[in-house]
């Protein structure tokens, strides 16, 4: 296929700098989440990660802890395989336009997810929540991740200066938003299903995780489950909440400190943990680790 048709040029502003130095800092921060999504989706669907699929993208970073193949039905497996390969594309795009950070150490153990769900419910679930157990457990675990990445892209957008940077982030944001919408729709179709053996519905699980992220983020409501009170629904007229959005039905934004508080699961951007035992990489994330 030819990509050189002069009538199909991208139309970037003439004489504008494509990528500013500061742009790289923001995109490299987001790349931490792209690594997390890529590895989680790859391990869960293929049974191996970037070290097998595209080792050059790791830039020598350590392999994840605890990744394993999930027990997915064929329909869900197809979705996650597509997500996994899309995340490889995202990492390739960032690498080609911005250069890359090294892959951070990632904690994909079932015990890490177990702790998150225990915290969301306020007590220890029995048996421990296992994201790799079956398709529904896995998609509930996926509810945790892409949405936060989408929030981050919305938040960084006003800070970008370069035309190529803006185009890259717009494309990344679009795909992340679609992945999150697919996860939410998958769960919404099962909203009233009881998650065995816990006695809570799928809607209950999403509400608990969203509440936890709001608590950890410490900046108000920026997260909503798939069923909400009318006052949080679109135009205050719906209790369905397939798309999580603000008063104007615009995507919520989050800053790097908010995102780190959530993904470290510590509520403190200076204290690593959760999915990033040694902290996230790149200038923005590492500077928080230097602060008292």
């Amino acid at each position: 296929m030819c990509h050189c048709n002069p009538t199909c040029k991208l139309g970037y502003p003439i004489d504008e700098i494509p990528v500013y130095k500061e742009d790289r800092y923001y995109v490299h921060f987001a790349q931490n989440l792209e690594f997390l999504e890529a590895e989680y989706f790859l391990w869960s669907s293929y049974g191996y990660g970037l070290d097998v699929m595209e080792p050059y993208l790791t830039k020598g970073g350590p392999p994840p802890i605890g990744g394993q193949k999930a027990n997915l039905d064929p329909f869900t497996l197809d979705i996650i395989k597509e997500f996994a390969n899309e995340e490889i594309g995202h990492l390739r795009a960032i690498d080609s336009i911005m250069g890359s950070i090294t892959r951070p150490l990632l904690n994909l153990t079932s015990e890490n997810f177990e702790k998150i769900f225990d915290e969301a419910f306020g007590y220890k679930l029995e048996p421990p929540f296992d994201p790799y157990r079956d398709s529904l457990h896995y998609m509930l675990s996926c509810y945790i991740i892409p949405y936060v990445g989408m929030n981050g892209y919305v938040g960084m957008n006003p800070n970008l200066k370069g035309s190529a940077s803006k185009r890259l982030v717009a494309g990344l944001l679009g795909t992340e938003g679609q992945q999150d919408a697919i996860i939410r729709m998958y769960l919404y179709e099962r909203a009233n299903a009881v998650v065995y053996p816990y006695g809570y519905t799928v809607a209950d699980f999403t509400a608990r995780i969203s509440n936890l992220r709001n608590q950890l983020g410490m900046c108000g409501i920026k997260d909503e489950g798939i069923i909400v009170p009318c006052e949080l629904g679109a135009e205050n007229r719906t209790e369905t909440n397939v798309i999580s959005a603000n008063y104007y039905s615009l995507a919520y934004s989050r800053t790097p400190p908010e995102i780190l508080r959530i993904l470290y699961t510590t509520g403190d951007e200076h204290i690593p943990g959760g999915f990033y035992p040694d902290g996230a990489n790149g200038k923005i994330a590492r500077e928080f680790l230097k602060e008292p």
Side-chain angles (χ1 to χ4, degrees), residues 57-70:
L57 289 172
T58 70
K59 306 304 176 186
I65 303 168
Q68 60 181 281
K69 200 171 191 300

Side-chain angles (χ1 to χ4, degrees), residues 32 35-36 39 62-66 103-108 274-277:
N32 286 287
F35 275 122
L36 175 59
E39 292 289 9
I65 303 168
R103 176 182 58 189
L105 180 64
L106 300 169
N107 185 351
L108 305 181
F275 293 107
Y276 301 90

Side-chain angles (χ1 to χ4, degrees), residues 36 65 106-118 129 131 144-145 263-265 273-277:
L36 175 59
I65 303 168
L106 300 169
N107 185 351
L108 305 181
T109 62
S110 59
E111 290 80 8
N112 184 45
F113 284 95
E114 172 193 337
K115 290 176 183 177
I116 294 171
F117 280 93
D118 286 350
F129 186 90
I144 297 173
I145 303 170
L263 294 179
Y264 288 173
T265 70
F275 293 107
Y276 301 90

Side-chain angles (χ1 to χ4, degrees), residues 33-42 45-46 50 53-54 56-57 77-95 146 153 168 171-183:
L33 283 86
E34 299 289 355
F35 275 122
L36 175 59
E37 293 171 24
E39 292 289 9
Y40 191 44
F41 295 148
L42 282 168
S45 59
Y46 286 96
L50 288 171
M53 296 290 279
E54 297 290 348
Y56 84 95
L57 289 172
L77 179 62
D78 285 345
I79 293 172
I80 302 306
K81 278 188 173 179
E82 180 180 338
F83 284 5
N85 285 287
E86 287 165 354
E87 295 305 324
I88 290 175
H90 291 179
L91 290 171
R92 286 195 300 105
I94 292 171
D95 187 51
Y153 284 129
L168 171 64
L172 292 168
L173 172 59
T175 306
E176 293 292 327
Q178 291 175 79
Q179 288 179 349
D180 183 63
I182 289 167
I183 293 167

Side-chain angles (χ1 to χ4, degrees), residues 117 121 140 143 184 187-188 201-213 223-227:
F117 280 93
F121 279 89
L140 283 167
Y143 183 83
R184 293 181 71 94
L187 296 174
Y188 180 74
T201 66
V202 169
D204 292 332
F205 268 79
T206 65
R208 299 281 186 138
I209 290 297
S210 288
N211 289 340
L212 175 62
R213 288 189 297 209
D223 217 307
E224 302 161 350
I226 56 175
I227 303 291

Side-chain angles (χ1 to χ4, degrees), residues 125-164:
L125 296 177
E126 290 292 345
F129 186 90
D130 180 4
Y132 302 104
R133 169 183 172 141
D134 57 35
S135 296
L136 183 55
H137 281 67
Y138 182 75
M139 292 301 273
L140 283 167
S141 75
C142 288
Y143 183 83
I144 297 173
I145 303 170
Y147 179 74
V148 180
M150 183 188 73
N151 296 154
Y153 284 129
V154 175
M156 83 166 64
N157 184 55
N159 298 307
L160 300 175
K161 299 177 182 178
S163 56

